[in-house]
Amino acid sequence: MKSSERLITVVTAIGLAVILTSCDQFDDNAVSKSSETAECGQQAPGSSASSDFTATLTDAEIATLMHMREEEKVARDVYNKFFSLYNMPIFQNIAISEQRHMDAVLNLIVGYGLTDPVEGKGPGEFTPAFQGLYDELIAKGTNLTEALKVGVAIEELDIADLEKAIGSTEVDNILTVYNNLLAGSRNHLRAFSSRL
């Protein structure tokens, strides 16, 4: 092997190691970095796996997509509200990441020709199924500590729902998105938990 080929191999290996270890970080800085770039392993819209929308979805798969889109919006809107109240960067950083989660689910909704359940809804506006949850979470965030506990609760709910969703589909592009969201939610949970 030529020395230039060895150098390329070493640089590639180092780059992969950096990428893989950065996906496990959970401090404010790492959350900020993940919000500035694509989430760990998330495929860009238009890539071959994410753009294959030939599967026929079951009613349950469609309902779960709609649920996940709105649940990610609840998280984003709650974190934005808490950032405006407490000015703690973790809320803003994770809200940006939640927007990426919303975008990933929207890519699936649009790709499968479905109607976005949050289209035209502003911050804090939801379908009746989620409005009560949002209002309850905001009401619980009476101080910074309680707001961080709400963050933990949101991420635990998201993780449970994503694990259930992953177990109920075999559609590759949906599984890819859900697994990426699950990894992100686990990072968010660690970030919030470390502040308590």
Side-chain angles (χ1 to χ4, degrees), residues 3-122:
S3 62
S4 63
E5 289 174 338
R6 275 186 258 161
L7 179 61
I8 290 171
T9 302
V10 169
V11 169
T12 301
I14 291 171
L16 285 173
V18 168
I19 289 169
L20 292 174
T21 58
S22 71
C23 290
D24 292 331
Q25 299 299 317
F26 57 88
D27 61 10
D28 273 341
N29 190 31
V31 172
S32 178
K33 285 179 186 175
S34 73
S35 69
E36 294 169 3
T37 60
E39 297 258 346
C40 300
Q42 186 170 326
Q43 292 180 321
S47 68
S48 61
S50 67
S51 61
D52 177 13
F53 299 105
T54 57
T56 301
L57 303 185
T58 65
D59 289 344
E61 288 167 329
I62 292 169
T64 301
L65 276 174
M66 301 303 160
H67 179 93
M68 294 315 304
R69 172 80 167 146
E70 201 155 13
E71 190 169 279
E72 297 296 340
K73 183 181 185 313
V74 167
R76 184 203 64 187
D77 289 2
V78 167
Y79 299 154
N80 278 331
K81 179 69 172 177
F82 287 164
F83 178 71
S84 74
L85 293 172
Y86 305 115
N87 199 32
M88 188 171 190
I90 189 172
F91 292 116
Q92 182 179 43
N93 295 339
I94 295 180
I96 292 168
S97 181
E98 296 296 347
Q99 180 62 56
R100 292 188 185 281
H101 292 193
M102 287 179 64
D103 293 344
V105 177
L106 180 61
N107 182 54
L108 294 171
I109 290 170
V110 170
Y112 285 107
L114 305 171
T115 302
D116 181 10
V118 300
E119 184 176 358
K121 298 202 182 305

Side-chain angles (χ1 to χ4, degrees), residues 74 148 193:
V74 167
L148 290 167
S193 296

Side-chain angles (χ1 to χ4, degrees), residues 177-190:
V177 169
Y178 287 170
N179 278 302
N180 289 330
L181 299 186
L182 181 60
S185 291
R186 286 178 174 152
N187 286 338
H188 300 167
L189 176 60
R190 285 193 296 269

